Amino acid sequence: MTRRILLISSSTCRPTGYLDHAKPEIRDFLGGTRRVLFFPWALLDRDAYAAKVRERLGRMGFEVDSAQRVPGPGPRGRERRGGLPRRRKYVSTP
């Protein structure tokens, strides 16, 4: 199984709403995917963060599982088709 990952460096770009600016890229990347695995590591309240993403992507027709709530390998793991981890800051040196 091929696994792909979509990284979004900013979830809000004024004056648009949450993930609105990335909607075309999200749809293009996920294609026919229905279920997404989200990694909510950027905020302390991971459940609230996952709920926010679940609501937004739900309006786009996707179901969202939050990585901290999905058990290890098993039936649910086989259902995962897309992943949306939250950004991390990387610094490159010359």
Side-chain angles (χ1 to χ4, degrees):
M1 169 177 33
T2 301
R3 295 183 182 180
R4 299 173 24 173
I5 191 167
L6 175 63
L7 299 172
I8 300 173
S9 65
S10 180
S11 56
T12 304
C13 202
R14 306 272 184 237
T16 65
Y18 186 71
L19 293 177
D20 288 346
H21 69 289
K23 185 177 175 180
E25 288 80 8
I26 292 170
R27 283 196 184 281
D28 181 58
F29 182 84
L30 295 176
T33 300
R34 301 291 300 147
R35 174 167 261 130
V36 173
L37 179 62
F38 175 66
F39 297 82
W41 308 147
L43 296 180
L44 186 58
D45 188 344
R46 293 178 178 161
D47 289 328
Y49 191 24
K52 183 174 185 175
V53 170
R54 187 175 295 111
E55 187 279 326
R56 180 61 184 98
L57 293 184
R59 287 189 277 137
M60 293 173 63
F62 300 104
E63 296 176 43
V64 177
D65 291 319
S66 185
Q68 89 277 11
R69 295 289 175 214
V70 176
R76 297 290 297 205
R78 288 192 292 274
E79 291 177 18
R80 297 177 196 155
R81 296 289 185 262
L84 290 174
R86 184 66 171 104
R87 71 178 170 95
R88 294 287 184 239
K89 191 171 193 174
Y90 295 100
V91 177
S92 61
T93 56

